[in-house]
Amino acid sequence: MNTSQKDRYTLKHYTRLIISFFISLVLLTIYQYTTLYYKAVVDVILGSSFFLAVLHQLGFASLVGIIFSFSFNFWEKLRPTYGFNLVFVILILLLIIEAMLISYYCTALVPLGSDLLGYSFADIKLTIANSGGISISMVLGLVGIIGVFFGLYKVTSKYYHYISSMYPFTIILFSMFVMTLFVAGKPINQNKTQYLVTNMYQTSTEDVSYKADVEYPLIKAQKVENVLGEYFELKEKKPNVVFIMVEGLGRDFVGEGAEYGGFTPFLDDLTTKSLYWENCLSNTGRTFGVLPSLMGSLPFGKSGFMELEKYPNKLTLYSILKNNGYHTSFYQGTNSSFDNVDRFLLSENVDFVLDKSGFGNKYKLQEEDAAGSSWGYPDKELFKKSMSLPRAAEQPRMEVYMTISTHEPFLPPKQDFYEDKVKQLLTKSSHDSRVKKIIKKNDNVFATLLYTDDALKYVFEEYKKQPNYDNTIFIVTGDHRLIPIPQRNNISRFHVPLIMYSPMLKTTRKMSAVNSHFDVTPTLLALLESKYELKMPKKVAWMGNALDMNKEFRCTKDIPLMRNKNELKEFITGEKVFSDGNTYEIDENMDLGSSFGGSKGEAKLKAFKSMNAYVTTNDKIIPDSLAIFSVQKELFTDTETIWINSVYNGQDSDKGYFIARDLAFNKKFDKALLLCKYILSNVPSHIDTKILTGRVNVWKGNYKISTEILKECIKMNPNYIDSYSALFDVYFWSGKHRDALELIELAEQNSSSVNDIADKIARARREAKKRGVTIQTNHTHNH
């Protein structure tokens, strides 16, 4: 090599890089603690936890320094400046990752762990967008940390004579790293990148092998006890069942003695008129698990039940009640494709699903956040839409709501009004100074709670006007506890109220015994089965059992708790909880005592993980003979599967749609339909793919099939103009001019984008006039 020795970077330059990297990490740590202090999560910035965090950042910087010193030396000797540039870029990338993970931690108050593996790229994009998005301040912050790192490297040259005496540097780095291994760390003071990588490694290498004593370990030998019977005066006709799952509704905000009480006056009052379990636990710490747990008492799988690639046979409240003559429905204001809700509901043959796409133009979306994104329709709009839909008086109904307003970015309608109300309530409240400070710093969160509480009051009043209100059972609970508000301990995020209200209640009762969402479906079915001749499977497979009706605090159950997707780290057994390797006593306030060892919790958690993996991956929850709806599996031949995999990787349904569209444009109709079928088997609510299926069918001459598909698309998403556009074409080509005129009226009623297809509307009117076709106006359409 002709390059001179002086052009080559040495270990002295590498030392300056690592020191600059460490100081940058310390600055990010200062940012974290300052943000948490501003949000009233921590009491001081420069406390003992901060200095522990600095120590852990030193350990991480040391580890990085050790790992990349060999690459640095190798490339510098091979080709000068390559090693330096490589390490410089890697360290900048690590700083960007750490900055983003700290930013996530400051918002969610939990570090991002192996749950990252459970989300698709589309889900991650949607979550970031609706949690404030990648804002200008974040971009400026990332640019700033890169600038600081580069500046620190320059500055260290002035102190070169101090650094030069630090050899052998790798030995020092190794010593520092080993030292930090003996310092216990909590999520707040650990390096977030190291936490993420370690967590993902542990999850992916965990042994979950299972030795099956029985083929179907979840099948119950005994019937679930009817613990609700004495509290209800059931009527001759089967009752309606209405679930309202409230986003973020933790017990800390509801009912007597709530730490942050006073912001849900309607719900507080409802708890006194109901059967109220104050110590219920959501089985997952995020929304992804509430439907399977609450409706089906189902295990988790690896990343949550709805993330399973193939659903095993299962029983749920949905399928059992539908099999007994119930009309089943699901309502939410955001996209049902998120967390695979649409797929789960399709597998349950739910009769009607309302999501963000189905509202039409009479309802107002939630305000856009700083990044210009709207999560969906706020809670009162959701309830208004639901109440506008027809309900048959003679058929019992099971209705399930999932609200969204009490989720980041906390932008309720009439935000100023509700924030003023928060201030007024604070002046009269008896909260201590710490809690008051937290409420003031998070006034938008508590304003949203007030808004959602008002929305719930509205929907209960509206239900009184509905058929068979007097024969309805309402269940209100949270999917998990609000994330941004500081939590007392590791089980706070799971602690939610469970409220069961009905005009048929003979008496009210407040229970302090510990229960979980796993217990709700078995308990309701035991009540209904005691009065009505239900068609029930001979055996059931529930994770839970009858709700514990004990008034006093006690915990007699084994309850697994999944924090995030892929993070199954808590297990309650008796009045002890195993969490993050430690065991704690739980008291009547759901506070945790000091940690100790020797609990059965760790062994039970390990056994549960093995069983959980076995039943969900091997279709061993229930056999085919017990299934009401055997899971509909879209069957593709080996040849078809190989072809599909060759053109589409299955990850991004939007990309799959564009591939299918190109195939259709090239007149490869059968292949386009095959790919559409595959996409819709995974994402049933992908409207563009469904419309394309309708278009391809008409191009093949299948007018009837095409019309049926496109009408379904309009019912799914009455505001989306592409469905109308496609159906106008079908009616034009098939000569159905009266249907085209009726479609004009429907499009004008429902879609705000009707001007986009003015040419097709004009064509429909022109063709109808030419043939003397007319219709009566002012038709009423229920969509």
Side-chain angles (χ1 to χ4, degrees), residues 639-654:
T639 305
E640 288 173 338
T641 301
I642 291 170
W643 177 80
I644 290 165
N645 293 340
S646 73
V647 296
Y648 172 52
N649 65 8
Q651 294 300 309
D652 188 333
S653 50
D654 288 337

Side-chain angles (χ1 to χ4, degrees), residues 716-773:
M716 273 175 65
N717 190 336
N719 188 41
Y720 196 44
I721 202 64
D722 285 14
S723 306
Y724 300 97
S725 177
L727 192 51
F728 274 121
D729 287 341
V730 176
Y731 286 156
F732 173 68
W733 294 327
S734 59
K736 293 192 172 182
H737 306 298
R738 177 171 277 104
D739 290 340
L741 286 182
E742 290 179 352
L743 186 61
I744 293 171
E745 188 179 344
L746 190 63
E748 288 175 344
Q749 276 184 10
N750 288 332
S751 181
S752 55
S753 307
V754 73
N755 289 337
D756 293 352
I757 56 167
D759 57 333
K760 296 192 179 185
I761 290 173
R763 181 182 67 183
R765 286 188 171 128
R766 192 168 58 245
E767 292 297 319
K769 186 178 179 182
K770 195 186 296 182
R771 289 161 178 79
V773 176

Side-chain angles (χ1 to χ4, degrees), residues 535-546:
K535 289 184 282 183
M536 285 283 290
K538 291 176 183 175
K539 293 180 181 176
V540 292
W542 308 127
M543 285 293 302
N545 212 306

Side-chain angles (χ1 to χ4, degrees), residues 694-711:
R695 285 189 180 279
V696 174
N697 269 289
V698 78
W699 294 338
K700 289 185 71 178
N702 301 325
Y703 292 102
K704 187 178 178 183
I705 294 172
S706 176
T707 302
E708 287 172 359
I709 291 169
L710 293 171
K711 280 184 174 179

Side-chain angles (χ1 to χ4, degrees), residues 95-131:
L95 285 173
I96 290 172
I97 291 167
E98 181 70 6
M100 295 181 79
L101 290 174
I102 283 176
S103 182
Y104 175 88
Y105 180 77
C106 289
T107 300
L109 303 184
V110 289
L112 193 63
S114 54
D115 52 311
L116 185 66
L117 295 170
Y119 289 96
S120 68
F121 183 65
D123 282 355
I124 293 168
K125 280 197 300 184
L126 186 61
T127 303
I128 290 170
N130 290 293
S131 297

